[in-house]
Amino acid sequence: MLSNHLKIAFRNLTKNRLYSFLNIVGLSVGLAGGILVLLWTSFEVSFNKSHTNLPSIHLMMQNQTQGGVTYTFQSMPGPLAAGLRSEFPEVEWAARTSWNSKYLLTVGEKKTYERGFYAEPDLFNIFKFPVLAGNPIAALRESGSVVITERTAKKFFGSEDPIGKTIRVENEHTLIVGAVIADIPANSTLIFDVVMPFSIIERLNLSHINSSWGNNSWQTWVSLNPQTDLTALNAKLENYIQTKNPEAGAHAMAYPLAQYHLYGKFKDGKPNGGRIQIITMLGIVGLFVLLIACVNFMNLATARSAGRAREVGVRKVVGAQRRVIVGQFLTEALVMTFLALILSLVWVQLMLPAFNRMAEKELSLGWANWPVWSAILALGLVTGLVSGSYPALFLSKFKPAVALKGQVSTNKNAGTLLRKGLVTFQFVISIFLMITTLVIHRQLEHIASRPLGYDSENLISIPVRGNMSDNYDVLKQSLLQIPGVKSVSAGTHNLINYGSNTSGIEWPGRTGDQDFLISVTDVGYDFVKTSGMKLADGRDFSIDFGADTMACLLNETAVRMMGLKEPVVGTVIKYDTTRTVVGVLKDFVFNNPENSTAPMAVFLSKSDYNHFFVQFDNNDQWKNHLAKIEASAQKIFPEYPFEFRFVKEEYQKSFEGIRSAGVMANTFALLAIFISCLGLFGLSAFFAEKRTKEIGIRKVLGASTSGLWLFLSKDFFKPVLLAFVLTLPVAAFAMQKLLSSFDYHTELTWDIFAIAGLVAIAIAVFTVSFQSIKAALANPVSSLRSE
């Protein structure tokens, strides 16, 4: 029976080549979109699954409430890890780590910057990374050892045994390789190439950081005993930090690493989604695109039902049961679906490189990934059954007597309404995705054109490595001698992101309800001049006014939220010590460009910088200026490879999230439109063929080509117009909700909907017109010859 079904299926495929082609291509495009979503989802949900003890690994976090808003942080006090080890039997292991950064590693003449951090030995009791050589726990107990990955070992030592070899870190520490671990997979929260002993940091005598319960500077990881009740443990941790420091406003909690990647967003101190929201949205969009492809198949199959009516009638007359006929049509659908699945894999393989660049992923169709291949096969099977089920049930119910006469249904309007309804459904989704694409694009342009508040053109940031900060003044004087260099300054942050904040600033007239976080940063002289920021009042830090070490700058938002009265310049505030406001900065964009500006206080520092800033002339000689800046920096810091970043390019990276969402929406919108057009093309071809004689008679009676085009096309335009009308209210509501999630957002205007509607109609006109005009131009003699 199956062999017979397959023979008939392939005969019908070759007999109706156009419709087979349209169905297979449409399904393949829908399946390609589904497979991409499947690969993305598989990658996201597999995060951290390589850790065999994943259920026990937790990240310590804390909640702080400021101004009625609860913020959630990963930064924890230095003594916390030791306290957890000694006072909480639920904690099996605890370890502090510094923040992931890039460190200069040197072996002989080889120098490169690698990702890494400082960590306590128990980190490798918490994370069970595969060990290739040595003992990483013992290595981190020794202040003179280091742990590296296999990739780093090969980069520096090739095929030689790296254990016992020396690596110089940041030109400050000579460390011996104590262990080599396997490369960290891309789907891991903790990614690094080198880990150095935390005891090196402890030797720096940073007592205010390492021993203070009021200073939050480190990440803390813990591994819990299997029988631990997490809710009960977090209840014990709630006020633990207050028992050590009554003035601290921190409320600690242990958060499972297994949930962190997908549910890492917090609101009011509680998990509030995260990556799972993107995965869900992408999954829904992919499902709709695949559903459009299935609808296409149903539409074309039911439209051609009259051609299969006599076949069904003959089968039933000779004794075929309905289930056999259903099996025949489902087999045809499954054959086409699996041919489409093979073609879809070709599409995916071709699209993956561009898709990975866009999504910043490392997705692949690896043969060893059997769960993904199983899911792909299941996706093909479900798609075939869904797309073929309705045509199979519809065609198999024909009564033999009626079917042999070629009469499919006594209610022709029902079939027409069904097909129009399916076309309408397809274009509802397509138009909605088009509107989404336009809104995201306009929002992105709106944010990108937002005035920064400083001059990012020809402004570079030079990351400070090792002891480079100690020779900043020498570098500054050298750079200022270069023709074209306008100004030089430095700071602890990179102008784009400011991660330090405090609620501990006091000012005249502060009230109890003025409890909010203020971003703080330290900068060097000429900071305002170099960055190109504007002053609303007062002046920049300048050596011309003495040391200025007790001076500070506030931005306009800080002045407004503090409620300071004019004149603001000269106001004395207290932060560690008394400081005098010497200038008010006009608000500039930092951290999240989609949000409103946060309050900020800027202080002067003469050392401990993390970034140098250089502003040079914006002319056609900028490459020469940059080459001279590099030469000067290399002369002063020959041991550090020169690196820099254009501030403007760094700022543009802030849009990667929304830009990726926009490209994804655009991609799926194009797929949906393409599949919908395939359906329209097939239906218009079928109906033009069905009405060949009618068209011939109309031409003989004097109908014009344009009149025939309108006659054949108008029925296809109505579902598209109806889809536009139905989509409007839903899209308007959804897009308004989307835009309201941004503090700084564009307005939802009527032209966005008009453009989407016109594009949909234009695409429909173009698709249908090919067959309509072809039929209208045909010679009526050919179609009426047999009459």
Side-chain angles (χ1 to χ4, degrees), residues 525-565:
Y525 291 118
D526 302 319
F527 173 71
V528 176
K529 177 183 177 182
T530 304
S531 63
M533 293 182 185
K534 305 298 181 184
L535 286 165
D537 194 12
R539 61 175 178 82
D540 192 0
F541 294 123
S542 174
I543 200 168
D544 297 335
F545 291 86
D548 255 357
T549 52
M550 294 296 104
C552 76
L553 305 173
L554 300 175
N555 70 350
E556 292 175 310
T557 298
V559 171
R560 184 178 65 257
M561 294 180 68
M562 290 176 172
L564 299 180
K565 297 179 180 178

Side-chain angles (χ1 to χ4, degrees), residues 625-685:
H625 301 331
L626 197 54
K628 292 177 181 178
I629 291 170
E630 178 179 359
S632 182
Q634 284 289 270
K635 184 177 180 181
I636 299 170
F637 309 114
E639 66 274 27
Y640 294 97
F642 180 72
E643 55 177 340
F644 74 95
R645 300 181 182 94
F646 279 101
V647 173
K648 186 174 182 178
E649 291 180 0
E650 284 289 289
Y651 176 71
Q652 291 298 320
K653 289 181 180 179
S654 306
F655 309 129
E656 287 179 353
I658 188 173
R659 188 178 287 116
S660 294
V663 174
M664 292 294 292
N666 191 39
T667 301
F668 280 104
L670 289 174
L671 291 179
I673 292 167
F674 177 75
I675 297 170
S676 299
C677 288
L678 283 179
L680 275 183
F681 182 84
L683 286 174
S684 60

Side-chain angles (χ1 to χ4, degrees), residues 7 64 82 169 191 219 221 247 258 308 313 398 431 443 479 521 550 611 614 633 653 664 677 760:
K7 285 180 181 178
Q64 286 193 26
V169 179
I191 295 182
Q219 281 190 309
W221 297 91
E247 296 181 0
R308 306 293 298 272
F398 295 160
I431 294 171
Q443 173 65 11
L479 294 179
T521 187
M550 294 296 104
H611 300 272
V614 184
K653 289 181 180 179
M664 292 294 292
C677 288

Side-chain angles (χ1 to χ4, degrees), residues 53-118:
N53 61 329
L54 178 61
S56 68
I57 303 175
H58 291 69
L59 174 64
M60 294 303 300
M61 306 183 80
Q62 63 165 292
N63 292 321
Q64 286 193 26
T65 302
Q66 306 286 344
V69 180
T70 301
Y71 301 91
T72 303
F73 303 98
Q74 297 179 29
S75 300
M76 304 303 293
L80 178 65
L84 294 173
R85 283 191 290 262
S86 62
E87 300 181 43
F88 290 82
E90 300 91 340
V91 176
E92 185 178 17
W93 308 103
R96 289 176 295 178
T97 68
S98 65
W99 297 93
N100 208 321
S101 184
K102 284 194 173 182
Y103 294 88
L104 176 65
L105 303 185
T106 304
V107 176
E109 297 300 317
K110 297 178 181 178
K111 295 182 178 183
T112 180
Y113 291 105
E114 302 293 345
R115 296 168 298 182
F117 48 81
Y118 295 90

Side-chain angles (χ1 to χ4, degrees), residues 12-13 16-31 290 292-304 308 332-333 335-341 343 347 383 387-388 391 426 674-675 678-683:
N12 278 310
L13 281 176
N16 303 295
R17 291 185 180 86
L18 174 62
Y19 300 98
S20 298
F21 172 79
L22 293 175
N23 273 325
I24 290 172
V25 172
L27 284 173
S28 72
V29 173
L31 284 167
L290 192 56
I292 288 176
C294 293
V295 166
N296 243 15
F297 185 98
M298 296 177 191
N299 224 354
L300 291 173
T302 53
R304 296 186 59 80
R308 306 293 298 272
E332 291 182 20
V335 166
M336 277 195 279
T337 300
F338 278 94
L339 289 174
L341 185 62
L343 184 58
W347 298 143
T383 301
S387 58
Q426 288 180 311
F674 177 75
I675 297 170
L678 283 179
L680 275 183
F681 182 84
L683 286 174

Side-chain angles (χ1 to χ4, degrees), residues 44-58:
E44 295 289 343
V45 300
S46 69
F47 250 72
N48 299 309
K49 294 290 177 64
S50 59
H51 303 301
T52 55
N53 61 329
L54 178 61
S56 68
I57 303 175
H58 291 69

